[in-house]
Amino acid sequence: MPHHRGITSRAGGCVNLRNWQLQCLDPSQEEERAEASGEGIVQQPRSERVQQQGVDGFQRAKLAVFLSGGGSNFRALHAATLQNAIYGDVVVVVSDRPGCKGCEYAQEHKIPILSYPKNKHAQDGISASQLVDSLRHSGVDYILLAGYLKMLPTELVQVFPRAILNIHPALLPSFGGKGFYGMKVHEAVIRSGARYSGATVHFVDEEYDSGPILAQRVVPVLAYDSPLDLAARVLKQEHILYTEAVAALCEDRIFWREDGVPLIRKSWDEAEYL
């Protein structure tokens, strides 16, 4: 019988994949079990948010959305929060282009906007340290990149470990990295002759598109697709995939294998991983 790795949630729950049972152990119990089994599972502190009263033991997560353009994914995520498909609320939007359509949408819904970094489009842009302080002051739990084209400052990534997600319009690790954004991604996919593309949600680190992959959806690349055709097909899946991933994040249904690969538990009622 194959040996399955143990995994931990960001909130500290441990899942033993050999018998598909959720085990929530205190740190001393978890250390003893890990030593005995040799699985090397590390117990992480359970988030304060999970311990507070709310639906099924959760209170609504506070979300920050970073964007640079039209905000299609932002709109889809915001709609999902209003419908409780995502158990959280967008409390702030951050943009390097405060005049973009996504920021207009935020203004219409009375969501505060921060400009970062300072540039010709954002003369009142704040510094990296001010950005970190502002997000902390707002009580932000998670950061969601939705078409944000700037590199995040290292200090921000370090303050929010395993708490920043990005959506990319291709199947990473292919067609990712610096310079691969927007229509350029779909043009490259078609030029390559790839028969499939899709969307990827991944955790963010200090590099472009290189963080751990959380979830993907696949679409076909048809024989006579234009970049616009492919972009439209992928975007439909982006809206679905990102909503599912953020919902899992807000409900602490993301678990980490000991090799650093994140998995989504389908629901707290089903011991199935996506």
Side-chain angles (χ1 to χ4, degrees):
M1 184 174 184
H3 173 77
H4 295 283
R5 303 178 184 89
I7 54 180
T8 59
S9 73
R10 185 172 184 269
C14 172
V15 175
N16 184 335
L17 296 181
R18 286 176 294 185
N19 55 17
W20 297 106
Q21 292 179 344
L22 177 69
Q23 301 176 11
C24 295
L25 308 180
D26 64 39
S28 60
Q29 288 177 308
E30 187 60 30
E31 288 174 4
E32 291 175 2
R33 196 191 72 79
E35 289 178 3
S37 66
E39 291 179 286
I41 301 173
V42 178
Q43 175 74 15
Q44 298 174 330
R46 190 160 181 77
S47 70
E48 294 178 2
R49 180 172 59 78
V50 180
Q51 297 179 31
Q52 297 175 13
Q53 186 175 6
V55 176
D56 294 330
F58 294 90
Q59 90 166 21
R60 295 181 72 87
K62 293 183 178 181
L63 310 172
V65 176
F66 285 46
L67 53 82
S68 296
S72 171
N73 275 300
F74 164 44
R75 295 167 191 246
L77 293 172
H78 183 247
T81 66
L82 297 179
Q83 298 163 4
N84 286 326
I86 292 175
Y87 201 58
D89 300 295
V90 179
V91 298
V92 64
V93 164
V94 178
S95 180
D96 61 316
R97 293 174 176 263
C100 68
K101 293 293 185 181
C103 286
E104 290 180 9
Y105 178 88
Q107 290 175 333
E108 292 170 3
H109 290 82
K110 297 180 171 52
I111 300 172
I113 299 169
L114 296 175
S115 297
Y116 175 83
K118 184 175 181 179
N119 58 55
K120 65 180 181 180
H121 302 289
Q123 295 294 327
D124 59 346
I126 58 179
S127 68
S129 60
Q130 289 173 321
L131 176 62
V132 171
D133 290 343
S134 295
L135 296 180
R136 280 174 161 170
H137 181 73
S138 298
V140 169
D141 294 302
Y142 302 114
I143 295 171
L144 313 173
L145 307 189
Y148 185 69
L149 301 181
K150 296 293 184 181
M151 178 77 77
L152 294 186
T154 299
E155 50 263 59
L156 181 65
V157 177
Q158 293 175 344
V159 169
F160 287 88
R162 292 184 174 180
I164 307 176
L165 289 182
N166 182 46
I167 181 86
H168 184 75
L171 297 176
L172 293 176
S174 298
F175 307 105
K178 189 173 182 179
F180 282 96
Y181 61 88
M183 206 57 62
K184 294 185 178 188
V185 175
H186 307 298
E187 292 169 352
V189 170
I190 291 173
R191 280 199 307 269
S192 75
R195 278 14 180 208
Y196 295 94
S197 189
T200 301
V201 174
H202 66 94
F203 282 92
V204 173
D205 57 18
E206 288 85 355
E207 304 295 331
Y208 283 113
D209 302 328
S210 67
I213 292 172
L214 177 62
Q216 293 183 313
R217 274 185 174 248
V218 178
V219 303
V221 180
L222 303 182
Y224 298 103
D225 270 346
S226 70
L228 286 173
D229 293 331
L230 182 57
R233 192 176 304 120
V234 170
L235 186 60
K236 290 180 181 180
Q237 299 306 315
E238 287 183 50
H239 293 169
I240 297 170
L241 184 68
Y242 214 3
T243 296
E244 291 176 348
V246 175
L249 190 67
C250 291
E251 296 168 18
D252 279 319
R253 289 189 287 108
I254 295 175
F255 292 78
W256 292 80
R257 278 191 341 215
E258 62 183 4
D259 60 357
V261 173
L263 304 173
I264 294 177
R265 179 169 174 140
K266 190 172 182 180
S267 75
W268 282 111
D269 297 322
E270 299 175 82
E272 180 180 347
Y273 293 82
L274 307 176

